[in-house]
Amino acid sequence: MYFILELLKNDFFVCFTIIATVLYLLLTKNHGYWASRNVKFIRPLPLFGNSFSTAFSIAPAYKVQQEQYNSLKGQRYGGVWGFWKPKLLILDPQLIEHIMIKDFSYFTDREVNSDVETDPLSRHLVNQNGNDWKILRTKLTPVFSSGKLKTMIQQIMECSDACVELIAQKAAAGKPLEVREEMAGLTMDVIGSCAFGLNLNSMNDPNSKFKKIGKLVFAPSRAGKLRLAMRAHFGFLLKLFRWKRMPSEFGAFVINTVMGIVKYREENNFHRNDFIQLMMELRKEEEKQLKNGNISKIVMDDNTITSNAFVFLLAGYETTASTLGYVLYELSTNPEIQEKVYKEVEDVLKKHNGEITWEALNEMKYVEMVITETLRKHPPVIAVARQSVRPYKIPNSDLELPEGSVIVIPIYSIHHDPRYYPDPEKFEPERFSEENKHKLVKSTYLPFGDGPRICIGLRFARMEMKIAIAKLIMKYKFSLNSKTISPLQYSEKTIFLVPIGGIWVDFIPRTHNKDEK
Ligand code: HEM
């Protein structure tokens, strides 16, 4: 003690050096992690690992991913650090297939950064892990079955009709429209209707509270992104400071809205074709089983119903809006593809008396290919992660991962790897045609993830997008307005692919489609 006091008195510089050295050693403690396992790695920074430029919005996340992917080329996997936590980036599609599908039992979990105790809206499918996730996923899977989705077509059509009408009013002024914003209005109304049974009319309401909630998560903001990174890597602070995913005011709004809907329906025996109704029916079934002694507790309690309605909103709103925005961008810049889409929709609708039905949607094969290629080129979620629940030996290697290891699948980079998609920047729906499908390499198409934890809403999203495209293309020709920065450049302020300056499209009314509905 005496020695330390003397040192402090006499030699500030020595003290500073000792403290700095101890700090440095602490902050770089993990930096030998991958080298000691013979894994090629991307050199990390003290404390920030390889997260500095994304956390502080210096470079777009997809670009950072591309740099890491390219410098690890030739490897099946490589080491990176999310702040101080070592993570394994997987480049080899066969290994991706192992992790996401074949050896899924080792990788059932996601790295979760919410605390179910302090955050009442966090008990949902995206956050749940282990057996809790399995039980919830099994219960919610039938909610997205073809039978249930079919019953929602009418609601989606009504929202799409309102969108077409609104675009007609706006386009009449001869001005271009920012399509991501327009499509965000549409997808929010669709999710409002199909998840909550509400007529949100957010396309007409710039102050829609639901839209504000969606934007809290997805809109570009440096602070928001830093908060996200902090949440992901300093989870213990969540508990300590009782941090919630969103301001309490919004949380209370979502809880009150959902609980109000549930109470009204229970009291008035009111039914509607939407996700809340389906979850209420699951609860009723559980209550029966509880009475009969077949189960010991209710899974679909108020908290679980609210959290999942909320996650359908978060997961289904921006992803779908963003994809529709990119579809309109690609169709505007590729007029021959646009014409082919128009012809297909026109032909299919003629066969079905102008009605958009489940069967008609299934016949729109080229529209499907266009959506598939859009999601390949512009995946809204650029990476997914898994966490091992027990030790795992990477097949055909000596690498043994301990329990709790985090695996990252770089979706964007795989989708843009010319070995799997030649000329990757070219928009080419034919890659996914019946004749060409067999050339695709397994586990290289991942916009919805893969395996048992694949996006539960993917068929809902595809149906919604097909309806919107069919409705819009029967009314308008799309042309890219010069206000759009093309080729697109992406914002560094968000982890999602958000084009700087937006996507501006001129909507030119078609004049020869009087028979269409
Ligand atoms: C174009 C639209 C969409 C895209 C690109 C997309 C993408 C994704 C991705 C990449 C995942 C992670 C999968 C994994 O880890 O393997 C995911 C999970 C999820 N998505 Fe989507 N999604 C979309 C639309 C939707 C919609 C419309 C809903 C609900 C209505 C939804 C609900 C969910 C849920 C609940 C999960 C978590 C599944 C689980 O962990 O079991 N998504 N999505």
Side-chain angles (χ1 to χ4, degrees), residues 333-513:
T333 40
N334 296 284
E336 63 304 333
I337 296 178
Q338 183 180 155
E339 211 40 37
K340 224 170 146 181
V341 170
Y342 172 68
K343 277 267 155 275
E344 179 183 79
V345 176
E346 188 184 40
D347 288 350
V348 170
L349 290 187
K350 257 185 204 148
K351 255 177 76 186
H352 291 267
N353 301 320
E355 297 280 353
I356 296 184
T357 59
W358 180 260
E359 291 69 29
L361 290 171
N362 282 337
E363 284 174 32
M364 294 179 190
K365 299 288 179 209
Y366 191 66
V367 178
E368 183 77 39
M369 283 157 56
V370 165
I371 293 172
T372 305
E373 172 68 344
T374 303
L375 284 163
R376 196 266 319 155
K377 196 174 160 195
H378 312 274
V381 181
I382 66 165
V384 288
R386 293 285 186 272
Q387 187 158 357
S388 61
V389 290
R390 49 201 160 107
Y392 179 74
K393 185 178 167 298
I394 298 276
N396 307 319
S397 85
D398 297 330
L399 181 59
E400 181 108 28
L401 297 172
E403 179 187 329
S405 298
V406 176
I407 303 291
V408 180
I409 316 285
I411 298 177
Y412 183 93
S413 301
I414 290 166
H415 284 191
H416 288 257
D417 189 328
R419 285 175 300 174
Y420 313 130
Y421 298 101
D423 203 356
E425 297 314 314
K426 190 167 174 210
F427 186 76
E428 217 179 327
E430 296 303 327
R431 297 179 203 270
F432 299 96
S433 68
E434 280 307 317
E435 307 80 73
N436 292 331
K437 255 183 184 170
H438 70 277
K439 293 184 205 155
L440 297 172
V441 177
K442 222 167 170 208
S443 295
T444 59
Y445 185 73
L446 303 158
F448 294 103
D450 210 347
R453 272 206 104 142
I454 196 169
C455 173
I456 199 168
L458 77 95
R459 289 193 312 149
F460 177 82
R462 282 188 178 279
M463 172 175 86
E464 175 185 356
M465 291 190 287
K466 267 186 170 175
I467 294 175
I469 294 165
K471 287 271 176 193
L472 285 168
I473 206 148
M474 289 312 293
K475 294 280 179 198
Y476 305 104
K477 279 188 179 167
F478 319 123
S479 164
L480 197 68
N481 186 275
S482 56
K483 263 174 101 171
T484 312
I485 303 169
S486 184
L488 300 174
Q489 285 167 31
Y490 299 105
S491 169
E492 63 286 339
K493 294 186 214 152
T494 153
I495 50 165
F496 302 96
L497 287 180
V498 176
I500 297 171
I503 300 172
W504 294 86
V505 169
D506 290 306
F507 286 78
I508 304 138
R510 292 185 188 267
T511 49
H512 53 282
N513 60 346

Side-chain angles (χ1 to χ4, degrees), residues 232-262:
H233 295 95
F234 302 88
F236 62 94
L237 293 175
L238 287 177
K239 238 188 172 123
L240 200 62
F241 296 113
R242 300 180 78 79
W243 274 352
K244 297 197 176 71
R245 188 167 179 88
M246 64 168 63
S248 311
E249 173 214 347
F250 284 121
F253 169 74
V254 174
I255 294 168
N256 292 338
T257 305
V258 176
M259 283 301 97
I261 295 167
V262 170

